[in-house]
Short mmCIF file of all heavy atoms in Angstrom, two decimals:
data_model
loop_
_atom_site.label_atom_id
_atom_site.label_comp_id
_atom_site.label_asym_id
_atom_site.label_seq_id
_atom_site.Cartn_x
_atom_site.Cartn_y
_atom_site.Cartn_z
N ALA O 695 94.74 84.06 60.29
CA ALA O 695 94.88 84.65 61.70
C ALA O 695 95.12 86.13 61.56
O ALA O 695 95.71 86.58 60.63
CB ALA O 695 96.09 83.88 62.41
N VAL O 706 96.96 99.33 80.27
CA VAL O 706 96.85 100.61 80.73
C VAL O 706 96.10 101.64 79.85
O VAL O 706 95.30 102.30 80.14
CB VAL O 706 98.21 101.16 81.20
CG1 VAL O 706 98.22 102.60 81.61
CG2 VAL O 706 98.72 100.32 82.36
N GLN O 715 88.70 107.59 71.46
CA GLN O 715 89.62 106.61 71.26
C GLN O 715 89.13 105.22 71.11
O GLN O 715 89.58 104.45 70.14
CB GLN O 715 90.78 106.59 72.39
CG GLN O 715 91.64 107.75 72.38
CD GLN O 715 92.49 107.82 73.58
OE1 GLN O 715 91.98 107.50 74.68
NE2 GLN O 715 93.70 108.35 73.50
N VAL O 744 97.82 90.55 86.42
CA VAL O 744 99.18 90.37 85.68
C VAL O 744 99.99 91.68 85.66
O VAL O 744 101.10 91.57 85.14
CB VAL O 744 98.98 89.78 84.27
CG1 VAL O 744 98.36 88.47 84.36
CG2 VAL O 744 98.23 90.70 83.35
N PRO O 747 104.11 96.94 88.74
CA PRO O 747 103.88 98.15 89.67
C PRO O 747 103.71 99.40 88.95
O PRO O 747 103.12 100.23 89.44
CB PRO O 747 105.09 98.16 90.51
CG PRO O 747 106.12 97.09 89.91
CD PRO O 747 105.36 96.25 88.91
N ARG O 766 85.13 101.88 88.58
CA ARG O 766 85.85 102.18 89.85
C ARG O 766 85.99 101.05 90.74
O ARG O 766 86.99 100.91 91.46
CB ARG O 766 85.00 103.29 90.49
CG ARG O 766 85.14 104.53 89.60
CD ARG O 766 84.72 105.89 90.49
NE ARG O 766 83.50 105.76 91.15
CZ ARG O 766 82.33 106.00 90.65
NH1 ARG O 766 82.13 106.32 89.41
NH2 ARG O 766 81.13 105.97 91.44
N LEU O 780 102.20 91.78 94.54
CA LEU O 780 103.48 92.30 94.32
C LEU O 780 104.04 93.05 95.65
O LEU O 780 104.98 93.69 95.65
CB LEU O 780 103.34 93.55 93.29
CG LEU O 780 102.94 93.01 91.88
CD1 LEU O 780 102.80 94.38 90.92
CD2 LEU O 780 103.82 91.96 91.43
N ASP O 784 101.29 98.61 101.28
CA ASP O 784 101.21 100.03 101.84
C ASP O 784 100.63 100.96 100.75
O ASP O 784 99.89 101.80 101.15
CB ASP O 784 102.54 100.44 102.29
CG ASP O 784 103.10 99.76 103.66
OD1 ASP O 784 102.29 99.14 104.21
OD2 ASP O 784 104.23 99.69 103.88
N GLU O 804 81.86 99.30 98.94
CA GLU O 804 81.90 97.93 99.30
C GLU O 804 83.12 97.19 98.63
O GLU O 804 83.82 96.40 99.32
CB GLU O 804 80.62 97.10 98.99
CG GLU O 804 79.49 97.47 99.82
CD GLU O 804 78.17 96.85 99.45
OE1 GLU O 804 78.17 95.94 98.55
OE2 GLU O 804 77.12 97.33 99.84
N ALA O 811 90.37 94.64 103.06
CA ALA O 811 90.29 93.57 103.89
C ALA O 811 91.34 92.43 103.37
O ALA O 811 91.73 91.62 104.23
CB ALA O 811 88.93 92.88 104.04
#
Side-chain angles (χ1 to χ4, degrees):
V706 169
Q715 289 170 323
V744 302
R766 294 196 311 273
L780 300 177
D784 291 340
E804 289 173 15

